[in-house]
Amino acid sequence: MSTINEERPADALRAHDAAARRDHEETRPLGGIAGWVDDRTGGTKGVSTLMKKVFPDHWSFMLGEIAMYSMIICLLTGVFLTFWFIPSMTQSPYDGSYVPLQGVMVSDAYRSTLDISFDIRGGLLIRQIHHWAALIFVVAVFCHMARVFFTGAFRKPREINWVFGTILSLLACIEGFAGYSLPDDLLSGTGIRAMNGFVQSIPVIGSYMAYFIFGGAFPGELIIPRLYSLHILLVPAALVGLFTAHILLVFLQKHTQYPGPGRTNNNVVGYPFMPVYIAKAGGFFFIVFGVIALISAVVSINPIWGYGPYDPSPITAGSQPDWYMGFADGALRLLPGFLEFVAFGFTFSMNIFPGSILLLPIMWTIIGIYPFVEKWVTGDDREHHLLDRPRNAPARTGIGVAGIVLYSVLFFAAGNDLMAIKLHLSINDITNTLRVLFFIGPPIAYWITKRICLSMQQYDRDKVLHGRETGTIWRHANGEFEEIHAPLTPRERWHLVQQEVQEPFVVTETTDAHGVANPVARKDQWRAKLSHFYFKDRVDPVTPAELEAAHHAHGPALATEPTETEAAETEASEPAIERH
Amino acid sequence: MKALAARRRHPAAIALLILVGLLVTGGAYSFAAPKDANASAAAADTVAQGKTLFLANCASCHGTGAQGTNEGPSLYGVGAAAVDFQMSTGRMPMTSPNVQAPAQQDIKFTSDQIAAIAAFVASLAPGPAVPDQQYTTVIEPGTQENNEAIARGGEIFRVNCAMCHNFAGAGGALTRGKYAPPLQGIDPVHIYEAMVTGPQSMPVFSDTNIKPASKQQLISYLHAIENRPEQGGMTLGNLGPVSEGLFAWTFGIGILIGCAIWLGKKAA
Ligand code: HEM
């Protein structure tokens, strides 16, 4: 009970304020804890918009969620590991419960990881969850990226988020590499050794850099503590921060959706965040956790006790990095040794440097700038909230597949030794084949993919014009056979005719009024060339006139396109529509 | 041995060989005779039997005097250990020319026959003998001393063998289709013999290189890791990060995408 006398004489002077005050009190929507919080933060407004946010439903939109959840799982299990892990390279004899290592000199990092595995209850399971979640995290990130790329979800206004995603994927790989290096077993030590070599391969400054990073000669005592700081502090902080920005942008810009009846560039058809989507998403978190925990419970990962402690003299067959760094390892395996040369008293290790050091920034830069390149070529400054079906962007899809092939060649090269054993082939032949594939694989993949896309579009056209094949064969009186085609419903047809078609850009003026070559025109010519490359081959969707003509031939009546609400009604139970 | 092989066609070689042979057999005889004349007679029998077997099965490639041909190397000085290893693991007689003679399951020779051929080959020039039990009995874990011996064997294994045979003895690739085979389920005697004879691309680990007692520790380590329960679960062949990555890309993401599709199909 307040003891303040609220009746102040001065109130009489402000009598006209009373109504406003009453209004405010009456509209306060919440009681209880929510009300208490709202009174102090005013958060209800934001939260309620958030709750009403609409999300479209499609399995491919959940790839990002898989990535998010496995990252969260890494964070949680990682905290558990920090309780016991000792990031130190101080040596002492092992006396834990793993017999085949007893009495061997090991570092604290290695010993503590062995202890986590053998002497701490649940430790091995958590370690395996941590590592499996890490692998699956990066797999999911790459799949998510591929989904965004092939559907054109990176177009305006989402270019920034594409760049964020690119950096996130790079950070994820770095985070994984740092973690992989921590336990100080033979494999991770070999990885650090390789990194030391990579840094040294940087022309001129390499050896200084290596000394700087390792705090002296390899291996020293500093690298694991340093990687530990990166692994548990710097990179996770950057990951979480950037991830938050990433997801915030998704909320602000709203999610894209696949084209469909009633779905336009100006709305989102789906389910509200609260209560439907959050239930689905929350449930999915537990599914992801469950699956990863199950895998970790039955499948071993990184059995560090088998590798033994790191020691610079041994090495094991099958020394590879975790998969997300495999492509760089593969590049090293493909680079021929004769590329190394000496000039001006320096050794230029061009058999190592391009694959180990240059490749990463080059690859991620290309990924990062792609949206801007495409935008420059198309000259398209509109916002896009409807996704492309990959077949309707044949050149982009082709480029994507070519990129994947290029990456895969490098990726498989990292496993050339295992392919040699398992397939009974010569490792030299495999390496040479992959070297050739590195150059010819991507163009071939581009060409084939583009052809497939175009023929799928052609098929769509035929389907719209002539209907769906029913498998029913009619025999006419004159003995002629004919397959009956059923006309498409307007709903079905909508998917097949909704796309836009772009024509190649043509340069009209190459010189200015005075006949002087125009520098802008030179740029335009480049643009025209690229635009030609993108849009020269195309299949136009069926126009209403064509459809009309076809129907005259076939008979059935034309149905009209469903309206937004009609379409929404046919969606599952109670969808929501949000407008931009 | 190389110098010997190169000069074996020299006219003096035969005379020299006979001289050496006489000296060696004479020396050996004078050494063995006082003890047990029967034993040496039996040994001579074995060598003779071995020679017959050798001429029938091996001479086509290794030459009638085991001096080597274009099809197979000279066997001078490879010792009984090499023959025992090559034949008991089914590598010899080699069935068809290949980058590497593969180990085979069914062995067409009895252990007596193998011992006979081994004795014959050993009689040609001195070489490593089939190791005796002392160093091929496996040290079992239990006492601290034994545990540390096994762990020591692990260190020797990682330093000398893991680069070809992989950390868990799962095998690895060498150049041009050659490979280091997996080391699971190999008889301790054969592991020992492989070390002292260095079959094909494998280097020889002589007794000065790795002492017999260390070889025994190494063998015990291989035995110990083979007989340990798999704490972590299925090992995916112990092939390292490649098989793990493959698993993540197939089963891992596959199951999760399956769940996503299922959830996406569910009406809200
Ligand atoms: C977010 C992405 C993360 C990735 C991709 C990742 C990846 C990895 C990997 C691959 C390892 C090697 C594990 C092994 O050998 O079994 C590892 C180890 C480790 N991680 Fe992470 N990690 C992440 C986050 C974290 C976080 C947030 C923490 C702590 C707060 C953490 C703490 C540790 C520790 C202490 C180890 C060493 C112990 C061990 O190897 O068992 N990690 N990490």
Side-chain angles (χ1 to χ4, degrees):
Chain A
M1 190 64 190
S2 167
T3 51
I4 296 172
N5 182 3
E6 291 195 23
E7 295 297 321
R8 286 173 296 178
D11 280 349
L13 298 175
R14 301 174 54 208
H16 59 282
D17 283 357
R21 199 159 65 224
R22 211 176 323 109
D23 274 357
H24 178 73
E25 273 159 16
E26 277 166 11
T27 52
R28 202 187 76 188
L30 297 165
I33 296 175
W36 190 90
V37 173
D38 184 41
D39 280 350
R40 280 150 191 83
T41 62
T44 342
K45 192 156 170 285
V47 172
S48 83
T49 353
L50 195 91
M51 294 302 167
K52 286 189 214 134
K53 275 268 169 222
V54 167
F55 282 85
D57 230 355
H58 191 270
W59 67 265
S60 70
F61 299 159
M62 296 164 95
L63 291 168
E65 275 180 59
I66 299 179
M68 166 167 81
Y69 299 145
S70 30
M71 184 180 81
I72 293 172
I73 295 168
C74 275
L75 292 171
L76 295 176
T77 50
V79 172
F80 178 94
L81 294 177
T82 57
F83 294 163
W84 283 281
F85 181 75
I86 305 169
S88 146
M89 295 165 87
T90 312
Q91 304 275 325
S92 59
Y94 176 69
D95 58 359
S97 57
Y98 183 70
V99 171
L101 281 174
Q102 277 173 8
V104 175
M105 288 297 278
V106 298
S107 66
D108 285 347
Y110 185 61
R111 193 224 326 277
S112 59
T113 314
L114 284 175
D115 288 346
I116 293 175
S117 307
F118 294 111
D119 297 303
I120 284 156
R121 210 163 293 238
L124 183 55
L125 180 64
I126 299 287
R127 252 196 80 222
Q128 303 209 126
I129 294 182
H130 189 70
H131 206 148
W132 276 122
L135 292 198
I136 289 175
F137 169 46
V138 197
V139 171
V141 166
F142 276 52
C143 291
H144 171 63
M145 272 173 111
R147 193 286 287 171
V148 170
F149 181 84
F150 286 112
T151 57
F154 55 77
R155 289 172 298 170
K156 190 179 171 184
R158 297 184 177 77
E159 302 99 320
I160 299 178
N161 231 8
W162 171 265
V163 174
F164 281 179
T166 311
I167 302 173
L168 274 170
S169 69
L170 178 61
L171 285 176
C173 294
I174 294 173
E175 174 71 348
F177 180 79
Y180 166 96
S181 306
L182 290 180
D184 204 22
D185 59 315
L186 186 52
L187 193 62
S188 67
T190 305
I192 297 182
R193 179 49 154 170
M195 178 183 84
N196 178 58
F198 299 162
V199 174
Q200 285 177 332
S201 78
I202 302 173
V204 187
I205 57 165
S207 32
Y208 302 99
M209 289 278 290
Y211 267 66
F212 177 68
I213 293 172
F214 285 78
F218 176 87
E221 296 234 309
L222 289 175
I223 190 67
I224 286 186
R226 284 181 179 178
L227 284 172
Y228 187 65
S229 307
L230 288 186
H231 182 76
I232 72 159
L233 205 66
L234 188 64
V235 185
L239 265 176
V240 170
L242 210 58
F243 163 75
T244 312
H246 189 73
I247 211 79
L248 215 68
L249 273 179
V250 174
F251 269 96
L252 288 178
Q253 298 175 332
K254 301 186 183 67
H255 205 292
T256 51
Q257 56 188 344
Y258 283 103
R263 298 177 177 185
T264 70
N265 213 18
N266 302 316
N267 69 8
V268 188
V269 179
Y271 299 103
F273 191 65
M274 196 71 177
V276 182
Y277 206 75
I278 195 131
K280 274 196 161 188
F284 195 46
F285 172 74
F286 289 104
I287 292 180
V288 173
F289 205 147
V291 169
I292 291 178
L294 186 71
I295 290 175
S296 311
V298 294
V299 189
S300 167
I301 189 165
N302 200 15
I304 50 137
W305 52 91
Y307 291 111
Y310 182 60
D311 166 358
S313 49
I315 182 120
T316 162
S319 292
Q320 263 104 354
D322 269 352
W323 77 261
Y324 38 83
M325 284 291 168
F327 74 102
D329 188 27
L332 286 176
R333 289 174 191 230
L334 293 190
L335 279 165
F338 63 75
L339 293 177
E340 182 172 274
F341 61 91
V342 178
F344 315 112
F346 293 106
T347 304
F348 291 85
S349 298
M350 289 305 141
N351 51 342
I352 298 178
F353 179 63
S356 57
I357 303 284
L358 274 187
L359 182 65
L360 268 80
I362 291 181
M363 186 178 118
W364 265 282
T365 308
I366 292 176
I367 296 177
I369 63 169
Y370 181 82
F372 304 99
V373 173
E374 193 184 293
K375 187 170 163 213
W376 180 65
V377 173
T378 57
D380 184 356
D381 204 31
R382 297 166 305 161
E383 294 205 352
H384 290 276
H385 303 289
L386 275 183
L387 296 172
D388 278 332
R389 299 171 81 212
R391 70 183 66 172
N392 291 336
R396 181 201 297 142
T397 306
I399 292 173
V401 174
I404 290 177
V405 166
L406 193 69
Y407 181 87
S408 306
V409 167
L410 296 179
F411 184 58
F412 281 104
N416 58 357
D417 52 338
L418 291 170
M419 283 199 276
I421 307 192
K422 296 293 157 193
L423 306 177
H424 300 288
L425 295 170
S426 152
I427 194 169
N428 307 56
D429 294 346
I430 295 179
T431 306
N432 286 330
T433 311
L434 289 173
R435 279 177 181 152
V436 174
L437 271 181
F438 179 82
F439 293 103
I440 65 165
I444 294 179
Y446 172 80
W447 188 82
I448 294 180
T449 310
K450 191 168 160 187
R451 291 292 129 194
I452 292 178
C453 286
L454 290 170
S455 57
M456 283 168 97
Q457 280 184 290
Q458 190 63 50
Y459 175 74
D460 286 352
R461 252 185 85 87
D462 289 347
K463 210 159 138 184
V464 172
L465 288 177
H466 308 299
R468 179 173 13 87
E469 294 171 3
T470 57
T472 314
I473 311 283
W474 276 74
R475 191 174 151 192
H476 293 270
N478 60 4
E480 185 192 343
F481 286 96
E482 187 192 28
E483 179 171 11
I484 299 301
H485 284 239
L488 299 183
T489 65
R491 256 190 100 70
E492 287 171 323
R493 186 164 61 231
W494 176 262
H495 289 276
L496 308 182
V497 296
Q498 47 74 30
Q499 73 268 31
E500 293 177 336
V501 176
Q502 184 147 12
E503 304 205 345
F505 165 75
V506 184
V507 189
T508 42
E509 287 191 13
T510 48
T511 51
D512 65 11
H514 309 285
V516 179
N518 182 345
V520 180
R522 174 111 24 90
K523 250 165 97 186
D524 276 353
Q525 269 172 343
W526 270 104
R527 219 190 104 190
K529 277 206 185 100
L530 274 172
S531 177
H532 193 67
F533 168 78
Y534 266 85
F535 303 115
K536 171 186 51 159
D537 302 314
R538 61 187 181 281
V539 176
D540 293 327
V542 177
T543 62
E546 284 172 319
L547 190 60
E548 186 88 27
H551 280 304
H552 270 296
H554 289 287
L558 239 178
T560 45
E561 159 189 332
T563 64
E564 186 172 278
T565 31
E566 250 173 46
E569 274 156 21
T570 44
E571 290 270 340
S573 53
E574 271 179 73
I577 298 175
E578 192 186 1
R579 269 158 245 284
H580 282 285
Chain B
M1 283 305 117
K2 268 217 175 90
L4 188 69
R7 295 207 171 80
R8 65 171 185 262
R9 301 225 186 278
H10 195 277
I14 305 237
L16 200 70
L17 203 67
I18 291 171
L19 196 69
V20 170
L22 282 174
L23 278 176
V24 169
T25 36
Y29 186 78
S30 66
F31 208 69
K35 282 189 224 146
D36 190 344
N38 280 344
S40 75
D45 256 11
T46 319
V47 170
Q49 189 204 348
K51 180 165 186 174
T52 328
L53 282 166
F54 186 87
L55 287 175
N57 296 293
C58 324
S60 57
C61 298
H62 291 289
T64 47
Q67 77 279 26
T69 70
N70 285 339
E71 309 296 319
S74 151
L75 298 184
Y76 281 34
V78 300
V83 176
D84 187 53
F85 171 78
Q86 297 282 348
M87 292 189 69
S88 314
T89 57
R91 286 181 167 80
M92 289 293 147
M94 200 166 147
T95 42
S96 57
N98 210 332
V99 278
Q100 181 168 324
Q104 247 135 35
Q105 283 307 317
D106 67 318
I107 314 296
K108 291 179 201 71
F109 296 84
T110 65
S111 49
D112 283 344
Q113 287 171 320
I114 295 175
I117 300 182
F120 165 68
V121 171
S123 74
L124 300 172
V130 176
D132 58 300
Q133 277 217 318
Q134 188 193 348
Y135 295 123
T136 55
T137 25
V138 170
I139 305 168
E140 293 293 342
T143 65
Q144 194 193 344
E145 195 191 340
N146 284 5
N147 292 352
E148 286 183 1
I150 290 173
R152 177 90 195 101
E155 284 186 294
I156 300 167
F157 179 78
R158 283 189 292 274
V159 173
N160 295 291
C161 324
M163 74 278 254
C164 294
H165 287 283
N166 152 307
F167 67 95
L174 304 179
T175 50
R176 306 197 188 286
K178 292 188 216 131
Y179 58 92
L183 298 183
Q184 280 95 29
I186 310 270
D187 192 314
V189 176
H190 298 154
I191 303 180
Y192 196 103
E193 288 171 345
M195 285 188 270
V196 289
T197 65
Q200 296 169 75
S201 321
M202 178 165 155
V204 173
F205 296 91
S206 69
D207 284 354
T208 41
N209 216 323
I210 301 181
K211 300 219 162 31
S214 304
K215 289 194 169 97
Q216 185 186 15
Q217 293 171 345
L218 191 159
I219 293 168
S220 310
Y221 173 74
L222 284 177
H223 184 79
I225 57 171
E226 199 179 324
N227 290 295
R228 277 193 68 79
E230 292 300 348
Q231 285 89 350
M234 290 185 281
T235 60
L236 302 180
N238 268 325
L239 295 177
V242 170
S243 52
E244 292 159 6
L246 210 62
F247 189 89
W249 267 104
T250 49
F251 290 93
I253 197 71
I255 297 174
L256 289 173
I257 289 181
C259 293
I261 293 176
W262 170 75
L263 204 62
K265 282 227 167 79
K266 277 237 161 303

